[in-house]
Amino acid sequence: MKKLIVLLLVLVCPLTGFMQTVRNKRVTPSQPSPSTQRASDAVNQLPIRRVILYSNGVAYIERRGFVSGNAEVNLSFKQSQVDDVLKSMVVLDLGQGKIGAVSYNSSAPISSRMAEIPFSVNPVSGDGGGISSVLSQLQGAKVVVTSTKGTAAGSILTIERKTIKTEKETQVTSVLVIASESGEISSFDLADVKSVKLIEDGTQRDINEFANATASARRLDAKTITVTSQGTGQREMVVSYTIAAPIWKTTYRVVLDAEGKPFFQGWAIVDNVSDEDWQNVQLSLVSGSPVSFIQNLQKPLYRYRPIIPIPEDLNLDPQIYDAEGGSGSGGGFGTGYSNGTGSGNGMGSGDDGPPPPPQANYMSVQTSISDALVNEQGGVQTAATGSELGDLFEYKIGNPVTVTRNRSALIPIVQTKMDGERVSIYNEASREDRPMGGMLLTNTSPLTFEGGSLTVLDRDAYAGEALMERLKPKEQRLISFALDLGTRVSTEVVGDSRPAQLVKVANGVFQVHYFKAEKKIYRLANQTDREKIIYIEHPLRKDWGLADETAKPAIVTDRYYRFRVVLKPFEKAEIPIVERQGLMDSYSLGNFSGDQLKLFVARNYINEATRSNLEALINLRAQIAAIAAKEKSLDEEIERIETDQKRLRENIEALAKTPEAKTLIARYIEKAGEQETRLEEMEKERKALAAQRDQLTAQQAAEIRNFEIK
């Protein structure tokens, strides 16, 4: 592989030197002098004046500055930022200028550039490496070969592979074979070759293009976007765009006074991981999740066309035309990617110079941190004002902010007294015997607080930490930050089924409504000498509801009932919570049975009058069932007679051909006559049974339709 790199450098260097010489000699008459160019750049600058950071990882950048004349502004971006810039850039000339083209350095895709090079490099193992593959694809190229045996010039004929066997090992080597203009053929072992110089300009360009294409594919070059404007005089220009940026974060501090009332302080953490300082910018922080995506716009795209082969024989022979048809082939592909990384730390401030010396203004020993914060004596001024932006919420930093590149800043966004109280929260799913110490916080400000970490100070001491979800104005939130070791909780569950609460008949169905009840007892014990407020979180279950004897919860959420309990010092209490689930058993009156009637009587579902009506229905059902049994018996008898008559007919037909069987035939005919008489009787009986069944069925339907519980 090392020999491959050395030889490629030798091949590329002659052309590179030549191209560099041409560049050094090229002079453009219209190019301004260095002093003029510096003066133009000093005027045509667009510094960053506004930055809006979004919680979905996007930053809106606004640049403003003054330009004069026919202005040209160059903006440099990372490769990973260009797609976002091309998708979102807005350019305005606020004077009399006219915006021209917005251009950037582009290049053909690596696949397109490599397709035009008549060779490829595929490194292989063994002597010579990938250079043998390259030279074998340059057959006919004129070269000058320098090796340990001397120098020779000629055209490449081929690359031979030779196997050399020794007592210890077998080696494979590559041999370059060239032919001079005089007809002399020479061979060189590539292991002994120092350099191969390409003489022809076309071959040199191919090697140079290959090196440039592979280098551009490997590097993540910076992109320069040039904005032009044509006009006269000095005027203001604005350029805005969005790029990927670190998500801004929030962190809060809550100070509880002696009465448990909270004082709230919020900070925003912003990171500038760009290559440019934010000097006195107007900074806004937006909470929300707008849709954002990356689209590959900077890479030129090609639509590949099918390749139609050229006829091998162009002689005008007579043509024979078949049915219409044709063939062709073609393909295309493209890839794109975007990535970027960044990190930063530290603090940023809006002061350009060194900080002023500290003044002797210290808190007295008697003044605690909590008193200073609550009385707003800490010197921290909130820098943000909040406002709704549709479904988003914006914190607009009032004073200009300076955050140098690769630095971060901690900016105060809120400082206010809040509504709340110190409480304990018990949830059996979290802990079985102890509640969590916390607070009930109510957002009395007009601001929306983005979710973040929260550190709690209880008077003059650290009390714990918590995570807070997004909190909107007037919204309440329970926040726990420590284990309450001064309260003990135990639970007991009792379940039972309640007697029927409602018995009714609807659409011929006897319905028995009753409740399944479950009682859970929470036993609380305050083991301290101060009053405690405890919130019990009881799960809210589907199809279950609180019984009338249960006290109403103070708060109901999507998942929990929250019961508020106040315990005096060393007080114990039992909180029973009874839930009911409504159930129903249904019985069809048309199929009501005697066993079901016995069950109803045993459970006292019905009174004597209803029992009598149900017995009448059961009797009707029994009579209908008896008639159905008789009809079935008649059908079976008819089927047997019809089968027997078929047998008799077959026997009579067989015996009719013999004169001595007259007696037996007469007997069969007599029996058939008796069966016909029985069939007539059964037909009358079936009609009578059908009429009786219809009458009883109609009576049953009327009874079910008019059935009432008395």
Side-chain angles (χ1 to χ4, degrees):
M1 191 64 186
K2 292 181 179 178
K3 292 180 180 179
L4 170 63
I5 296 173
V6 171
L7 288 174
L8 281 176
L9 288 175
V10 172
L11 296 175
V12 173
C13 282
L15 180 60
T16 305
F18 172 77
M19 295 299 292
Q20 186 63 46
T21 303
V22 173
R23 291 194 198 98
N24 293 338
K25 292 182 179 180
R26 184 182 301 158
V27 177
T28 304
S30 61
Q31 184 176 358
S33 64
S35 59
T36 305
Q37 184 65 40
R38 285 194 297 270
S40 176
D41 290 343
V43 174
N44 299 332
Q45 284 187 350
L46 299 181
I48 296 177
R49 293 305 184 197
R50 187 182 182 195
V51 176
I52 303 178
L53 299 178
Y54 291 81
S55 56
N56 67 335
V58 171
Y60 171 84
I61 307 296
E62 186 177 294
R63 294 176 176 270
R64 286 178 178 264
F66 289 92
V67 298
S68 61
N70 294 332
E72 182 177 287
V73 178
N74 295 321
L75 304 176
S76 181
F77 297 97
K78 296 178 181 178
Q79 183 81 17
S80 59
Q81 297 174 332
V82 176
D83 286 322
D84 281 330
V85 174
L86 295 178
K87 176 164 56 72
S88 60
M89 176 177 281
V90 175
V91 182
L92 298 174
D93 191 319
L94 303 182
Q96 299 299 320
K98 181 179 180 181
I99 299 298
V102 178
S103 60
Y104 60 96
N105 51 320
S106 182
S107 60
I110 182 64
S111 59
S112 177
R113 297 177 63 181
M114 296 294 284
E116 299 175 0
I117 301 174
F119 64 87
S120 61
V121 177
N122 298 312
V124 296
S125 60
D127 293 340
I131 188 63
S132 63
S133 175
V134 175
L135 293 175
S136 65
Q137 298 175 68
L138 296 178
Q139 281 184 312
K142 295 181 179 181
V143 296
V144 176
V145 181
T146 302
S147 71
T148 56
K149 299 179 180 180
T151 303
S155 301
I156 297 176
L157 291 182
T158 186
I159 296 291
E160 294 181 350
R161 304 282 290 176
K162 287 187 177 182
T163 303
I164 303 174
K165 295 183 179 180
T166 62
E167 295 180 356
K168 296 182 178 180
E169 60 182 355
T170 300
Q171 295 181 347
V172 179
T173 182
S174 298
V175 177
L176 171 63
V177 181
I178 65 173
S180 66
E181 293 183 357
S182 61
E184 181 181 357
I185 297 177
S186 305
S187 63
F188 299 89
D189 193 328
L190 285 182
D192 300 329
V193 172
K194 294 181 179 179
S195 67
V196 178
K197 182 178 180 180
L198 302 176
I199 299 176
E200 297 171 323
D201 292 343
T203 310
Q204 291 179 0
R205 283 195 297 271
D206 291 339
I207 291 290
N208 193 42
E209 178 63 22
F210 175 83
N212 291 336
T214 54
S216 64
R218 176 176 49 83
R219 294 193 305 265
L220 291 177
D221 298 330
K223 292 281 188 180
T224 299
I225 295 181
T226 302
V227 181
T228 60
S229 177
Q230 299 176 357
T232 58
Q234 192 177 46
R235 59 198 184 276
E236 188 177 12
M237 181 182 284
V238 180
V239 176
S240 66
Y241 50 84
T242 61
I243 56 175
I247 298 172
W248 67 278
K249 302 170 286 290
T250 51
T251 177
Y252 303 97
R253 294 92 173 99
V254 173
V255 179
L256 301 176
D257 59 16
E259 298 179 357
K261 299 298 181 181
F263 180 81
F264 199 80
Q265 188 181 81
W267 298 74
I269 300 175
V270 298
D271 308 290
N272 179 11
V273 298
S274 66
D275 295 331
E276 187 174 355
D277 296 340
W278 295 347
Q279 292 285 349
N280 296 324
V281 301
Q282 180 183 346
L283 181 64
S284 295
L285 310 173
V286 176
S287 171
S289 298
V291 175
S292 181
F293 56 86
I294 297 175
Q295 189 175 27
N296 192 2
L297 297 176
Q298 60 177 306
K299 179 180 177 181
L301 301 177
Y302 293 84
R303 183 179 295 277
Y304 288 87
R305 297 170 294 169
I307 300 174
I308 306 299
I310 297 176
E312 296 180 358
D313 190 353
L314 297 180
N315 293 330
L316 298 178
D317 295 332
Q319 302 292 310
I320 298 176
Y321 296 96
D322 293 328
E324 198 174 76
S327 64
S329 65
F333 60 91
T335 58
Y337 60 90
S338 176
N339 55 45
T341 60
S343 62
N345 54 50
M347 294 287 292
S349 65
D351 299 331
D352 295 332
Q359 300 180 1
N361 183 17
Y362 304 101
M363 291 186 298
S364 64
V365 177
Q366 291 80 13
T367 303
S368 65
I369 293 177
S370 61
D371 292 338
L373 286 174
V374 172
N375 296 321
E376 299 183 358
Q377 297 176 355
V380 177
Q381 297 290 329
T382 55
T385 57
S387 61
E388 297 284 347
L389 292 178
D391 293 333
L392 308 178
F393 190 86
E394 178 185 22
Y395 293 96
K396 185 175 292 185
I397 310 302
N399 298 324
V401 175
T402 296
V403 184
T404 57
R405 57 183 175 177
N406 293 325
R407 301 279 288 181
S408 301
L410 193 65
I411 302 172
I413 56 175
V414 61
Q415 181 167 288
T416 180
K417 293 180 180 179
M418 300 282 275
D419 241 357
E421 59 183 353
R422 186 188 289 110
V423 298
S424 295
I425 307 109
Y426 178 75
N427 189 315
E428 190 177 13
S430 301
R431 293 188 64 87
E432 294 184 356
D433 58 343
R434 298 283 184 184
M436 295 294 294
M439 60 182 169
L440 178 63
L441 186 67
T442 304
N443 184 4
T444 55
S445 74
L447 303 178
T448 294
F449 299 136
E450 187 69 11
S453 61
L454 187 147
T455 301
V456 180
L457 301 177
D458 193 350
R459 286 167 287 187
D460 299 332
Y462 168 80
E465 298 174 356
L467 287 176
M468 186 182 73
E469 296 180 344
R470 182 178 297 172
L471 189 65
K472 291 187 172 292
K474 299 181 181 180
E475 192 175 9
Q476 279 189 331
R477 189 67 50 79
L478 279 175
I479 297 173
S480 61
F481 50 81
L483 186 64
D484 182 0
L485 298 176
T487 306
R488 183 173 293 278
V489 183
S490 62
T491 61
E492 180 184 359
V493 178
V494 179
D496 64 348
S497 294
R498 298 294 179 90
Q501 303 293 319
L502 177 64
V503 179
K504 67 177 183 178
V505 174
N507 298 324
V509 177
F510 201 105
Q511 298 177 352
V512 179
H513 296 263
Y514 62 98
F515 295 98
K516 180 180 179 181
E518 186 175 285
K519 182 178 182 181
K520 192 167 192 176
I521 301 174
Y522 292 87
R523 295 184 175 89
L524 312 177
N526 183 0
Q527 299 172 329
T528 67
D529 59 354
R530 58 187 178 87
E531 185 178 83
K532 287 199 171 187
I533 299 174
I534 303 173
Y535 277 89
I536 298 174
E537 284 197 327
H538 185 79
L540 193 154
R541 297 183 291 177
K542 184 179 179 181
D543 298 329
W544 288 76
L546 295 177
D548 295 337
E549 60 266 31
T550 301
K552 291 185 178 180
I555 302 172
V556 179
T557 70
D558 292 338
R559 295 189 300 158
Y560 294 103
Y561 299 109
R562 288 183 180 145
F563 297 88
R564 188 174 188 270
V565 182
V566 180
L567 289 181
K568 296 180 180 179
F570 303 106
E571 184 182 11
K572 295 182 180 180
E574 286 190 359
I575 309 300
I577 299 176
V578 180
E579 292 180 280
R580 298 189 308 181
Q581 182 186 28
L583 301 174
M584 182 189 74
D585 292 338
S586 59
Y587 307 86
S588 174
L589 290 178
N591 298 320
F592 208 82
S593 65
D595 293 337
Q596 292 172 343
L597 180 60
K598 293 178 181 179
L599 177 66
F600 278 31
V601 173
R603 293 184 176 180
N604 295 321
Y605 287 171
I606 56 177
N607 55 22
E608 184 62 26
T610 303
R611 184 189 66 79
S612 178
N613 291 338
L614 287 174
E615 282 184 344
L617 279 176
I618 294 173
N619 291 333
L620 281 174
R621 180 167 170 265
Q623 294 177 36
I624 295 173
I627 292 174
K630 290 181 180 180
E631 288 179 327
K632 183 179 179 182
S633 178
L634 289 175
D635 291 338
E636 292 175 351
E637 186 178 355
I638 291 172
E639 185 177 357
R640 288 195 303 269
I641 291 175
E642 290 178 347
T643 302
D644 193 34
Q645 284 186 339
K646 181 179 179 182
R647 181 182 61 82
L648 291 176
R649 284 194 299 269
E650 292 174 353
N651 291 338
I652 291 172
E653 184 177 354
L655 293 173
K657 299 177 181 179
T658 57
E660 58 274 7
K662 291 182 180 181
T663 305
L664 188 57
I665 292 174
R667 180 180 174 185
Y668 286 162
I669 294 175
E670 182 181 0
K671 184 176 182 181
E674 294 175 356
Q675 289 177 340
E676 285 297 327
T677 302
R678 177 57 183 159
L679 287 174
E680 293 174 358
E681 293 175 354
M682 286 190 295
E683 183 63 26
K684 294 179 181 179
E685 189 175 352
R686 283 183 61 184
K687 290 182 179 180
L689 289 174
Q692 187 179 0
R693 173 173 50 79
D694 292 342
Q695 181 182 0
L696 292 176
T697 301
Q699 183 180 353
Q700 182 189 39
E703 292 287 344
I704 292 174
R705 186 170 55 253
N706 299 323
F707 192 93
E708 293 182 359
I709 298 177
K710 300 179 181 180

